[in-house]
């Protein structure tokens, strides 16, 4: 099976080696097995290594925003981000972020900045499975699964490369990569990079390092081993949003227009700190005919530290998480189809320290006095076990039925390190007594795929998904919510789609979806606690078109139109949800002139339509934005590559986030025009 898959991949690569854009994308995320995107009965967007290199990734948005229906926006902490994929822009745990097929965080401890844990700057490919995941994925795989691939396969001969890049506002980065064959049965690839930026606004300085190591070994004729180590460390200063849009229109570089923010800087270390490391060992065995077995143990470390600048009392957070996991997957292949079955499991220990670092009496609405000391201090042990089965049956040569089922068991054991059922001095924070919570869920999946021709796939899909309440929602309790018990959110995704190859010239993918989310965990605007709410409806269409117009010119379009509504909500009725542009468009034009061999130039346009500022619609809409970028690389010879880009060419002044909440406006400014250039040397 391995040799067949590899030969097919090499054949596809050789046939399309001269194509500027990827016209026959392959993906591994849906089933864990590499296969053509064309043949899969679901919506999955991919980006290959060549296009990623041209994008010269600095932020998460550079890696992902060219994919249909995907919108990533950086927050005030620069490397922090919010995500919108088939959902409004927000911080909710509706996305499963993975690296090399393994989640980068436990589902019970979701961090909306989760892509900062990945080594996204050195990614070699990325895949986004949209809608609820297949049976291989459980909690948080509600709206999308995002899989970032790190080090690619090691080289057969020794390769060493160094890369350096510099740009506007004190940006600089340097990276080193090495790969070689150790002996006839083993090889490695390793890379490391460091990035620094002063930031274009006050208090947006960032320092970040990444490292990846991959070791491949043939243990026997029937068993292969792949060991992967990923690590990243980020220290990012954190600017505020503006309450008055004129600061954006005037191009202000201030960190905030609120004097209280500068007071916070005097009192607190207002920086985001992300630490991440993971090592995994993937054993793949082919001893039995028609059966491929994969065993993947891993250990993972996450740490997230910040000052909650959105809270008037400026508490500090320190969340440290240790995880041991084991994934087991089997692929049984027959003439009639295949069965993929196995289980996921992990054991996590987490410590949460939420601290008032100094005495403070707040002003304004509902003033309180907070005394220095712990607000929350607790430990959580989390166990997750999930068996699953995914079956594909060929009814005819053209018609395939796919059915999947997954059972998730998620268990929390919470230990309070402060006085049980107590409050802090302000009476705002409540510390529940020790307890345990268990959540279980069955997730059915079903799809039908009709390959009308070898180049045309028509499909229909249903997938159920869910997400467990986060530990912080269960145990970081506010006064007034002492007895609240949260349930899991549940989702149902219905999707129809079409994928079509037009010879070796074009690839088209269309999808229309309808998704419901029930029992949404929402924040009470009065008391600040969390509770289960009602239902929301999310629907839309997505389109991708990649075309080689000539040998020199190619285009790639990624389009989506979506509408997100409450469903009979007691406060908002059926209103359209805020922070949700209806239209996203990324248009790319590639030019590879015959007259200058090795040169590729790309012009890019990114359009985001208007969105409601808040859910009642009383404050109107923000206008959206359109920006343009220009990117290029030039392979001078087999050793030297030059590259550079200009982002926001017109120096557009706009907000990436704009909302009205708690009686005030908030605008997060987009980046101004920036210039970058770099060089890569390989030997």
């Amino acid at each position: 099976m391995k040799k067949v898959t590899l030969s097919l991949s090499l054949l596809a690569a050789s046939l399309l080696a001269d194509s500027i854009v990827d016209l026959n994308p392959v993906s591994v995320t849906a089933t864990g097995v590499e296969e053509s995107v064309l043949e899969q009965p679901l919506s999955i967007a991919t980006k290959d290594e060549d296009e990623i290199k041209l994008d010269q990734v600095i932020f998460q948005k550079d890696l992902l925003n060219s994919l249909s229906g995907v919108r990533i926006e950086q927050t005030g902490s620069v490397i922090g981000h919010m995500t919108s994929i088939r959902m409004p822009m927000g911080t909710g745990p509706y996305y499963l972020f993975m690296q090399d097929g393994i989640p980068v965080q436990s589902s019970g401890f979701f961090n909306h900045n989760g892509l900062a844990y990945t080594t996204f700057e050195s990614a070699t490919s990325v895949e986004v499975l949209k809608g609820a995941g297949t049976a291989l994925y459980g909690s948080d795989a509600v709206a999308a699964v995002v899989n970032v691939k790190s080090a690619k396969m090691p080289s057969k001969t020794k390769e060493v490369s160094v890369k350096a890049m510099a740009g506007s506002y004190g940006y600089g980065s340097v990276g080193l990569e090495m790969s070689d064959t150790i002996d006839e049965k083993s090889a490695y690839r390793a890379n490391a990079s460091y990035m620094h930026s002063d930031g274009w606004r006050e208090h947006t300085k960032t320092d970040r390092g990444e490292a990846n190591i991959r070791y491949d070994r043939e243990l026997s004729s029937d068993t292969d081993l792949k060991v992967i180590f990923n690590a990243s460390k980020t220290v990012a200063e954190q600017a505020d949003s503006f309450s008055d849009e004129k600061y954006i229109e005037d191009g202000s570089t201030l960190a905030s227009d609120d004097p209280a923010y500068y007071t916070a800087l005097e009192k607190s270390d207002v920086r985001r700190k992300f630490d991440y490391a993971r090592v995994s060992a993937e054993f793949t065995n082919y001893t039995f005919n028609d059966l491929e077995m994969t065993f993947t143990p891993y250990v993972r470390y996450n740490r997230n530290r910040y000052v909650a600048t959105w809270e008037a009392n400026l508490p500090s957070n320190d969340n440290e998480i240790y995880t041991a996991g084991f994934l087991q997957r089997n692929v049984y292949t027959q003439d009639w189809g295949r069965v993929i079955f196995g289980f996921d499991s992990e054991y996590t220990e987490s410590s949460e320290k939420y601290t008032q670092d100094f005495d403070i009496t707040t002003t304004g609405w509902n003033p309180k006095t907070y005394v220095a000391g712990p607000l929350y201090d607790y430990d959580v042990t989390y166990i997750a076990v999930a068996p699953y089965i995914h079956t594909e049956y060929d009814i005819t040569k053209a018609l395939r039925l796919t059915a999947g089922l997954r059972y998730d068991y998620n268990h929390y054991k919470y230990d309070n390190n402060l006085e049980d059922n107590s409050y802090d001095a302000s009476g705002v924070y409540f510390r529940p007594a020790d307890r345990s919570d268990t959540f279980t869920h069955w997730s059915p999946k079903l799809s039908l795929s009709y390959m009308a021709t070898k180049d045309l796939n028509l499909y229909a899909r249903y997938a159920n998904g869910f997400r467990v309440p986060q530990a912080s929602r269960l145990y970081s309790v506010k006064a007034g919510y002492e007895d609240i018990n949260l349930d899991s959110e549940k989702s149902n995704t219905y999707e129809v789609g079409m994928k079509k190859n037009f010879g070796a010239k074009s690839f088209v993918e269309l999808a229309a979806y309808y998704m419901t989310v029930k029992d949404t965990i929402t924040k009470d605007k009065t008391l600040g606690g969390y509770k289960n709410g009602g239902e929301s409806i999310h629907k839309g269409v997505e389109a991708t078109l990649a075309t080689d117009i000539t040998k020199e010119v190619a285009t790639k379009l990624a389009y989506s139109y979506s509408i997100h509504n409450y469903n009979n909500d007691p406060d908002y009725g059926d209103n359209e949800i805020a922070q949700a542009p209806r239209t996203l468009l990324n248009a790319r034009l590639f030019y590879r002139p015959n007259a200058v061999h090795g040169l590729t130039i790309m012009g890019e346009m990114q359009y985001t339509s208007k969105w409601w500022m808040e859910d009642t619609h009383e404050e109107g809409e923000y206008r959206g934005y359109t920006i343009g970028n220009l990117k290029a690389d030039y392979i001078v010879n087999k050793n030297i590559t030059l590259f550079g880009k200009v982002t926001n060419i017109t120096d557009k002044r706009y907000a990436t986030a704009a909302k009205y909440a708690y009686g005030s406006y908030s605008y997060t400014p987009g980046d101004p025009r920036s210039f970058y250039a770099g060089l890569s040397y390989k030997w």
Side-chain angles (χ1 to χ4, degrees), residues 388-409:
Y388 63 84
I389 184 169
H390 170 99
T391 303
E392 300 172 2
Y393 179 74
D394 294 330
I395 301 172
T396 68
K397 289 184 178 181
L399 191 63
R400 170 172 288 187
L401 177 68
T402 301
L405 185 64
R406 180 184 179 96
Y407 174 76
D408 280 89
Y409 171 88

Side-chain angles (χ1 to χ4, degrees), residues 447-581:
S447 64
L448 191 65
S449 175
Y450 177 58
M451 292 290 295
T453 69
K454 66 178 182 179
D455 294 325
L456 175 62
N457 183 7
L458 304 172
Y459 72 87
R461 178 178 186 246
Y462 163 76
N464 176 269
F466 81 108
R467 65 102 162 178
V468 296
Q470 298 164 254
S472 61
R473 300 293 183 256
L474 291 168
Y475 309 122
S476 295
V477 180
K478 292 290 185 71
Y481 285 83
E482 293 86 346
D483 298 322
I484 290 295
N485 291 313
L486 298 176
D487 294 325
S488 298
E489 294 190 26
K490 296 92 176 175
S491 73
N492 291 294
T493 294
Y494 306 88
E495 182 179 313
V496 294
M498 183 274 285
K499 302 177 185 182
K500 170 69 175 171
N501 264 340
F502 294 90
K505 290 292 184 181
S506 298
F507 173 72
V508 177
E509 180 175 3
L510 302 172
Y513 67 90
Y514 180 93
M515 179 175 71
T516 61
V517 180
K518 298 181 179 180
D519 298 323
T520 53
I521 297 173
T522 59
K523 186 175 183 179
D524 187 291
K525 293 184 177 181
T526 302
L527 298 177
Y530 288 87
K531 60 183 180 180
N532 284 102
E535 180 182 48
S536 57
I537 298 174
H538 312 268
K539 53 194 174 184
V541 294
E542 297 158 346
T544 299
L545 170 62
T547 304
D548 271 350
I549 299 174
T550 70
K551 290 184 178 181
E552 294 183 291
V553 180
T555 61
K556 188 174 182 181
L557 300 176
Y559 168 84
S560 66
Y561 181 85
S562 59
I563 303 176
H564 309 274
N565 295 93
Y566 290 102
N567 186 23
N568 196 29
D569 186 87
D571 296 321
Y572 308 119
D574 296 330
N575 276 6
E576 193 167 344
I577 301 174
Q579 311 301 308

Side-chain angles (χ1 to χ4, degrees), residues 1-54:
M1 183 184 302
K2 174 182 65 171
K3 293 180 180 179
V4 171
T5 301
L6 179 60
S7 63
L8 290 175
S9 300
L10 292 176
L11 176 62
S14 65
L15 290 174
L16 297 169
D18 294 331
S19 177
I20 301 177
V21 294
D22 189 2
L23 298 176
N24 189 20
V26 296
S27 168
V28 70
T29 300
T31 61
V33 179
E34 185 176 278
E35 56 189 330
S36 170
V37 167
L38 175 70
E39 298 177 1
Q40 299 181 51
L42 43 77
S43 178
I44 188 161
T46 67
K47 184 186 285 190
D48 66 3
E49 184 179 11
D50 289 342
E51 192 173 354
I52 289 174
K53 285 182 177 178
L54 191 56

Side-chain angles (χ1 to χ4, degrees), residues 322-341:
Y322 297 86
T323 297
F326 184 75
L327 310 178
Q328 204 285 313
R329 184 183 73 247
N330 309 283
V331 183
Y332 178 66
T333 304
Q334 289 291 294
D335 293 339
W336 49 263
R338 65 181 176 182
V339 180
I340 301 173
F341 61 98

